[in-house]
């Protein structure tokens, strides 16, 4: 493989990983934008999506649908995973965050952390501590472009991620609910005085963000071939780094941040000892927070009490 | 008071607290339908709090607020808005990362009658032509005066029965203040009742029918605006004469 | 009123069903309803109980509006017992415990005490200064590895390594603290989490120094020296604290010293500065409190206590590896602080024992331990954010900022 092929290959990998991070980061950024809370449980919601995906996909595979109705199978798998996690997201919001909306930030953070621990251990108890294998539905067929091998699965996943992000952008800018969401994020009291139902808006945010995370979870499962109850943690950190890097609260920022983190990680793993690649992500996160906490595309956030 | 018309808004012994600060200590007032009423008072008297309490943002601890005879003191802000009460709060509070057009659109959030909304949009643009020029610009990048016009325009977009305005003249050039007050009269003529909070007592009393004077959480004077303009106390304290 | 509560109950039961049933019901592709429904049933039972209590209280509320809840009354009753007796009694109990317990129980006791001292240290950062630290366990690791490396490479004794570990821990605390000083509270949580993971990853990957995931072993136990006049001459003889009771007493002393230290800090000028920072940082800064310096100090001191506990831990086991210092451990320590009551020393001591000892004793529950920790953390924050034994001055601050939570407000959107 020559250098162009190598670079192209790594670029595809980076875009793939970056879109996954971006999808997860969107969940953080939307929730943070609207209630200024780090949803620690978001990583677990992502994992829950991956598990629902594997459960549904395995069942459909046994029923022979993968061969007979390939596209329908994918729609069902993604649809169910996203729908369930959307409801799970609302449940988390209702149980753990809503009662604390007027409390100190420390209480809300601790409650979110509690939810995260609870969900991750719940999944461990129900799904076991070991990897759960994802049925490989895409096969190993690959397309060669300039010597780089790109699998069908990769292409599908990248396209789906892009489609989801475009859909989100349209939703937020074109629909009534999307506009209500943005208004609430920018000035909650004013939004209420204009007749926007905050509870409903927040609930919708807690459906969309986790649903995107769930889609990312299924994608990770399809691509890496396995899921584990604790995989949410590392993805959470990286997606969070992406959200911060892009500017928390900013939707395009999350997408950009996801891509950059993907590039950094793939680049590092390609040329430098890969054992240290996670250290790199953490370092990037900390450096961004220290040097430019408002991120690349974010508004400068005012200092708020803990 | 000479006014006998049916009152659109009535406050009876309203008390509001911030933590342990007793900000409203029993406010009672009544605004007749179709009127312009104003509330004047020193800084920290509780004028903004009065408006926020009416809107349900800072709920009343005690007392009753009736809108068209119906108690609204337990409603949430979005429900109060749904009844037809719009507020342009202190400090403009426009959405900085939405365009002028989107800000105006948000004003009509609860309305379903698209045609009438489009009509009202044209009307707001005719009241404040500059907003039309700036329709695509982000709210946060408008000048202070433009933001104030946008805030008032946004409130009008809900076609409110009662418009609560908190210091619309704050920080504006005298000419612009005049424009805004003229516009308020125009709005009122179209049938919107206006309840106005102002530091600029002279102008406010000039366009109002009824005036209320507030001091440290209480209403200390209620009279026709023209009478208040002649009142010695008011003259000394608020009109700088 | 009752209808509203019933509606709430139904909504909660529904959301809990969503949270719990698939979580616990799907082992592989098949659904096992009994286990899931059982656990869901427990939660719903609690909710129903809560509802009944509320309904009954609501009926009686008119009669005895100002009756204090039982927790308040118990607390008052406890506080009426002279302090000296309480503390003396507890100290006596702690002292004679190894004489009555078997080795396993002593071991559990030691673990509890380690976590108590960690909780007390974290309490300085979270409870007193109000900074949420999710990477606290890193300092524990620093203490453990400092002692291990010094002892294995240079043969430095426990007591000589301890101050070095403390200093190194404080330095690390400052390194982590410094860049985060100007950060908002929630960013701080993520950064400390990141730092904690970096420390663990470095320990895991730096094979040449730390032996990577295999860990280090063979460290000497702490020693006591006593004079000996045997063989005619005077000499110091080293006595290795190998037995569990001996180690127990050592950690007990460490915990007692920690308690004394934290109490003195709490009541000192520095403690007051911390509380000022916690309540309102801007105001504290404006009124002349050197916030930067005080926050750094909180980090450094918190780290120092963790470092001592870490050194003890490594010495006791004579073994250490990076997997002792997972993020989950930080969460456990945090859970102790939260359950006990943020800022409350007796609360943390009790919570440390409850959270560590209960799952150790009921081995069957061990799998559910972290699940319960998560649930406890959330439930505590929602229901009783000030903890089991609240620090008195902390109480108001953690509750909803809404100053007058009048009855209607429940029905409103909050
Ligand atoms: N969010 C708040 N928290 C605590 N106290 C407040 C808050 N808002 C207002 N107050 C207090 O309530 C009192 C009334 O404030 P309010 O804003 O209603 O005054 P105002 O009459 O509008 O003054 P101004 O003319 O300066 O706008 C003041 O003493 C003020 O300090
Ligand atoms: Mg005001």
């Amino acid at each position: 493989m020559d250098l162009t092929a190598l670079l192209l290959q790594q670029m595809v990998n980076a875009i793939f990983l970056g879109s996954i991070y971006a999808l997860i980061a969107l969940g953080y950024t939307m929730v943070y934008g609207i209630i200024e809370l780090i949803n620690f449980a978001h990583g677990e919601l992502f994992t829950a999506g991956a598990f629902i995906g594997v459960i549904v996909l395995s069942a459909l595979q046994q029923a022979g649908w993968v061969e007979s109705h390939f596209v329908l199978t994918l729609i069902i798998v993604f649809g169910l995973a996203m729908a369930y996690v959307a409801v799970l997201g609302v449940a988390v919001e209702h149980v753990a965050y809503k009662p604390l909306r007027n409390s100190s930030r420390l209480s809300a953070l601790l409650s979110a952390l509690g939810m995260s621990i609870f969900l991750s251990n719940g999944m461990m108890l129900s799904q076991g501590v070991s990897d759960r294998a994802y049925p490989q539905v895409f096969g190993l067929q690959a397309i060669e472009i300039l010597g780089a091998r790109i699998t069908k699965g990769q292409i599908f996943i990248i396209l789906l991620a892009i489609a989801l992000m475009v859909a989100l952008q349209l939703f937020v800018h074109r629909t009534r609910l999307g506009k209500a969401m943005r208004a609430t994020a920018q000035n909650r009291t004013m939004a209420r005085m204009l007749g926007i139902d905050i509870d409903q808006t927040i609930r919708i945010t807690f459906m969309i963000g986790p649903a995107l995370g769930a889609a990312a979870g299924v994608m990770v499962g399809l691509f890496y071939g396995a899921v584990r109850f604790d995989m949410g943690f590392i993805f959470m950190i990286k997606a969070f780094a992406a959200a911060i890097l892009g500017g928390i609260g900013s939707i395009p920022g999350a997408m950009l941040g996801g891509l950059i983190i993907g590039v950094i990680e793939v680049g590092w793993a390609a040329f430098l000892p890969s054992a240290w690649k996670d250290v790199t992500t953490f370092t990037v996160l900390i450096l961004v927070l220290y040097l430019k906490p408002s991120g690349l595309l974010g508004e400068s956030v005012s200092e708020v009490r803990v | 008071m000479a006014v006998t018309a049916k009152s659109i808004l009535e406050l009876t012994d309203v008390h509001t607290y911030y933590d342990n600060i007793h900000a409203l200590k029993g406010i009672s007032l009544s605004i007749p339908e179709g009127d312009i009423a104003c509330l004047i008072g020193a800084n920290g008297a509780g004028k903004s709090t009065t408006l926020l309490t009416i809107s349900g943002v800072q709920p009343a601890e005690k007392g009753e607020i009736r809108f068209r005879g119906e108690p609204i003191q337990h409603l949430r802000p979005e429900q109060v808005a749904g009844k037809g009460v719009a507020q342009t709060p202190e400090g403009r509070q426009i959405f900085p990362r939405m365009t002028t057009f989107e800000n105006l659109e948000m004003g009509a959030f609860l309305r379903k009658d698209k045609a009438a909304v489009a009509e009202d949009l044209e009307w707001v643009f005719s009241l404040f032509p500059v907003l039309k020029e700036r329709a695509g610009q982000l709210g946060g990048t408008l000048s202070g005066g433009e933001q104030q016009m946008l805030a008032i325009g946004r409130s009008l977009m809900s076609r409110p029965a009662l418009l609560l305005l908190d210091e619309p003249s704050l920080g504006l050039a005298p000419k612009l203040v005049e424009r805004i007050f003229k516009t308020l009269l125009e709005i009122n003529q179209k049938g919107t009742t206006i309840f106005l909070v102002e530091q600029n007592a002279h102008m406010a009393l000039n366009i109002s029918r009824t005036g209320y004077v507030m001091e440290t959480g209480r209403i200390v004077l209620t009279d026709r605006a023209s009478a208040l303009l002649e009142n010695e106390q008011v003259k000394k304290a608020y009109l700088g004469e | 009123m009752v209808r509203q509560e019933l509606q709430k109950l139904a909504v909660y039961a529904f959301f809990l069903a969503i949270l719990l049933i698939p979580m616990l019901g799907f082992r592989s592709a098949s659904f096992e309803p009994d286990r899931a429904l059982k656990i869901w049933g427990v939660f719903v039972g609690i909710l129903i109980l809560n509802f009944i209590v509320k309904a009954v209280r609501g009926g009686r509320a008119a009669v005895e509006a100002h009756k204090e809840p039982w927790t308040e009354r118990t607390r008052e009753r406890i506080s009426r017992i002279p302090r000296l007796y309480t503390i003396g009694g507890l100290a006596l109990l702690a002292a004679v415990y190894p004489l009555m317990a078997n080795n396993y129980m002593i071991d559990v006791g030691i673990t509890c005490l380690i976590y108590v001292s960690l909780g007390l240290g974290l309490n300085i950062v979270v409870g007193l200064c109000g900074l949420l630290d999710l990477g606290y366990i890193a300092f524990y690791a620093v203490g453990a590895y400092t002692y291990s490396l010094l002892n294995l490479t240079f043969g430095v004794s426990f007591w000589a390594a301890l101050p070095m570990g403390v200093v190194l821990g404080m330095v690390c605390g400052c390194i982590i603290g410094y860049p985060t000083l100007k950060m908002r509270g929630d960013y701080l949580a993520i950064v400390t989490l990141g730092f904690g993971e970096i420390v663990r990853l470095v320990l895991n990957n730096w094979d040449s120094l730390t032996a990577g995931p295999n860990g280090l072993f063979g460290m000497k136990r702490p020693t006591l020296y006593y004079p000996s006049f045997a063989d005619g001459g005077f000499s110091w003889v080293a006595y290795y604290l190998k037995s569990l009771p001996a180690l127990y007493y050592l950690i007990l002393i460490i915990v007692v010293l920690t308690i004394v230290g934290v109490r003195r800090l709490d009541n000192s000028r520095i403690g007051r500065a911390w509380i000022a920072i916690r309540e309102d940082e801007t105001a504290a800064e404006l009124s002349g409190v050197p916030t930067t310096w005080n926050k750094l100090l909180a980090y450094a001191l918190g780290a120092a206590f963790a470092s001592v506990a870490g050194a003890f831990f490594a010495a006791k086991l004579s073994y250490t590896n990076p997997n002792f210092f997972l993020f989950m451990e930080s969460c456990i320590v945090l859970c102790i602080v939260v359950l006990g009551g943020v800022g409350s020393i007796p609360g943390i001591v009790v919570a440390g024992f409850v959270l560590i000892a209960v799952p150790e004793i009921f081995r069957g529950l061990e799998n559910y331990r972290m699940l319960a920790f998560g649930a406890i953390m959330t439930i505590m924050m929602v229901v009783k954010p000030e903890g089991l034994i609240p620090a008195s001055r902390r109480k108001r601050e953690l509750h909803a900022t809404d100053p007058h939570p009048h009855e209607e407000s429940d029905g409103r959107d909050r």
Side-chain angles (χ1 to χ4, degrees), chain B residues 43-44 46-49 90 166-167 197 199:
Chain B
N43 291 126
K47 307 182 295 295
S48 302
T49 308
E90 201 168 19
D166 199 342
E167 307 209 21
V197 162
Q199 288 290 329

Side-chain angles (χ1 to χ4, degrees), chain A residues 245-265:
Chain A
L245 182 60
I248 196 141
S250 153
I251 289 176
M255 301 178 190
L256 179 68
L259 270 188
I260 294 176
I261 296 287
V263 168
I264 291 175
E265 195 180 311

Side-chain angles (χ1 to χ4, degrees), chain A residues 173 176-180 182-199 249 299, chain B residues 52 55 57 76-78 81 85 87 89 92-98 102 105-107 109-112 154:
Chain A
H173 284 274
R176 206 174 107 91
L177 281 175
K179 282 176 191 165
R182 281 164 61 216
T184 307
Q186 290 174 34
N187 189 336
R188 189 195 297 195
T189 310
M190 194 60 231
R192 299 186 73 181
M193 282 200 268
L194 293 176
I196 295 172
D197 182 347
I198 298 291
D199 288 338
E299 308 294 311
Chain B
L52 293 177
S55 273
V57 172
R76 289 181 257 140
E78 54 267 33
V85 181
Q87 176 165 178
R92 296 161 192 146
Q93 314 285 351
I94 54 152
F95 301 114
R97 273 159 286 153
M98 292 178 122
E102 284 175 320
E105 234 180 3
M106 291 319 292
F109 184 78
L110 288 174
R111 293 175 62 180
K112 302 268 190 294
R154 185 180 55 190

